[in-house]
Amino acid sequence: MKALVCNAFGPIEDLKVEDVESPSAGPGQVVVAIKAAALNFPDALIVQGLYQVKPALPFSPGAEFAGVVKTVGEGVSHLKVGERVMALVPHGGLAEECAVDARGVIPLPDDMDYATGSALLLTYCTSLHALKDVAKLAAGETLLVLGASGGVGIAAIEIGKLMGARVIAAASSEEKLALCREHGADETIDYVRDDLRERVDALTEKRGVDVVYDAVGGAYSEAALRATSWGGRLLVVGFATGEIPRIPLNLALLKEREILGVYWGDWAKRNPKLQQAHLLQLLDWFRNQQIAPPVTEQLPLAGAVDALQRIAKRQVRGKVVVLVDK
């Protein structure tokens, strides 16, 4: 089979599409013939050796995909050959086939295509957990989303609106902000052109926001925390700028603010029943057309390297999906 292979941690441009041996399904596993795989910011980090987890070399990046069950391993009874599915894996999704723990494979709804299925799980599960379980976002509160035009950002906008919040989306260009408005943002801030805190003050009559969803990091984190109200919550989701901020802790003291980490992957392992309930909620919202994964580009496997480079430079909007079988 063909796969995008990382042979050594280093520049993204060193990745190559290679012919590799097809996987076999071990006990408790299935092999999925992949139709579509979504790209995410961690994929760009992991191949450079910059992620918190370093897979054994060589490996293929790619954490979420959709396709068809090709073979079923011993002990698997809830999935069958030919079934349409979507799945999450630590890595290995940017390949024509992937062997995966059957417990992490989910039937693809009949009304969901492969591209959408590949783009749903990681970003929407992360954002639902962040807003519901960690921030405990309440109806009537104001939510500020940083990096709002990315995959987790759009998911946060849509879920925030469904939870009854007023949503302010912040991104780095008018083109990105237009996508945020298409997905329901009430207000937008161009934080390259405008002062983030001043714009929040203007939009909230100086009250501040209740919750900040921060997948960006860098200098924007402190500015956003300063723009929160009494008891405001800053959700630490990621560091797309590449810079982990050093926030003065007196900012938490002054208004009893909270700085809260979001690590959905580990939480889901610790809370499988709650995660299953979240998944059912997301599928229900999808069926009712209340969420729509923002697939903005669909590329062949050969285009994945360029796309990952653009993701690392924050030059994409929404979700980029690789059509593996094209």
Side-chain angles (χ1 to χ4, degrees):
M1 69 170 187
K2 293 191 180 300
L4 186 69
V5 178
C6 176
N7 289 298
F9 297 116
I12 294 170
E13 57 263 31
D14 289 348
L15 299 173
K16 296 287 187 295
V17 176
E18 299 179 4
D19 290 315
V20 301
E21 185 177 352
S22 294
S24 57
Q29 292 185 323
V30 296
V31 171
V32 177
I34 298 174
K35 300 293 185 180
L39 303 182
N40 295 283
F41 191 76
D43 297 323
L45 295 178
I46 199 169
V47 300
Q48 298 176 80
L50 301 176
Y51 198 56
Q52 55 257 44
V53 177
K54 291 182 173 63
L57 296 165
F59 72 95
S60 295
E64 56 181 346
F65 57 81
V68 177
V69 175
K70 180 182 178 183
T71 58
V72 176
E74 180 183 351
V76 178
S77 58
H78 67 289
L79 297 168
K80 61 182 183 296
V81 173
E83 188 169 359
R84 300 169 71 248
V85 296
M86 51 186 172
L88 278 170
V89 291
H91 52 82
L94 287 172
E96 291 181 330
E97 298 173 10
C98 184
V100 58
D101 187 328
R103 293 172 298 181
V105 178
I106 301 157
L108 191 68
D110 292 339
D111 55 350
M112 186 180 291
D113 60 32
Y114 292 115
T116 301
S118 75
L120 177 72
L121 293 176
L122 186 62
T123 48
Y124 281 84
C125 286
T126 296
S127 293
L128 179 54
H129 167 57
L131 297 177
K132 183 175 182 179
D133 305 311
V134 183
K136 296 177 173 57
L137 181 69
E141 290 191 313
T142 299
L143 168 67
L144 171 63
V145 182
L146 306 183
S149 67
V152 290
I154 294 297
I157 292 170
E158 293 184 338
I159 293 170
K161 291 298 297 178
L162 287 166
M163 294 177 69
R166 178 194 183 201
V167 179
I168 302 173
S172 59
S173 71
E174 178 54 35
E175 181 185 27
K176 291 180 177 180
L177 293 174
L179 181 65
C180 297
R181 288 189 289 270
E182 289 173 15
H183 285 263
D186 296 295
E187 307 284 353
T188 56
I189 299 173
D190 182 338
Y191 46 36
V192 172
R193 184 187 63 192
D194 300 322
D195 182 280
L196 179 63
R197 187 179 179 187
E198 288 181 0
R199 284 289 292 143
V200 170
D201 281 347
L203 292 171
T204 63
E205 297 179 342
K206 295 190 175 181
R207 177 187 174 277
V209 299
D210 300 287
V211 176
V212 176
Y213 185 102
D214 182 10
V216 177
Y220 297 121
S221 298
E222 182 176 333
L225 183 61
R226 289 179 180 275
T228 57
S229 61
W230 176 271
R233 290 92 81 197
L234 173 73
L235 296 172
V236 181
V237 183
F239 311 104
T241 62
E243 178 186 346
I244 298 176
R246 299 177 184 273
I247 296 176
L249 288 181
N250 67 304
L251 296 179
L253 181 153
L254 291 173
K255 290 189 177 181
E256 292 196 354
R257 298 165 167 131
E258 298 178 71
I259 301 171
L260 301 166
V262 177
Y263 191 178
W264 167 74
D266 202 43
W267 174 88
K269 293 176 184 176
R270 296 167 183 266
N271 300 274
K273 291 184 178 179
L274 288 175
Q275 168 53 27
Q276 179 65 19
H278 282 195
L279 180 61
L280 292 175
Q281 176 67 83
L282 291 171
L283 293 176
D284 184 63
W285 280 338
F286 176 80
R287 281 191 294 267
N288 290 306
Q289 300 182 344
Q290 293 172 290
I291 61 172
V295 177
T296 55
E297 297 182 54
Q298 298 186 44
L299 307 168
L301 187 58
V305 174
D306 173 71
L308 284 172
Q309 289 175 307
R310 289 187 288 116
I311 287 172
K313 296 174 183 177
R314 300 173 62 202
Q315 295 175 345
V316 303
R317 302 181 309 148
K319 296 278 280 190
V320 178
V321 169
V322 172
L323 302 178
V324 178
D325 64 342
K326 295 295 184 184

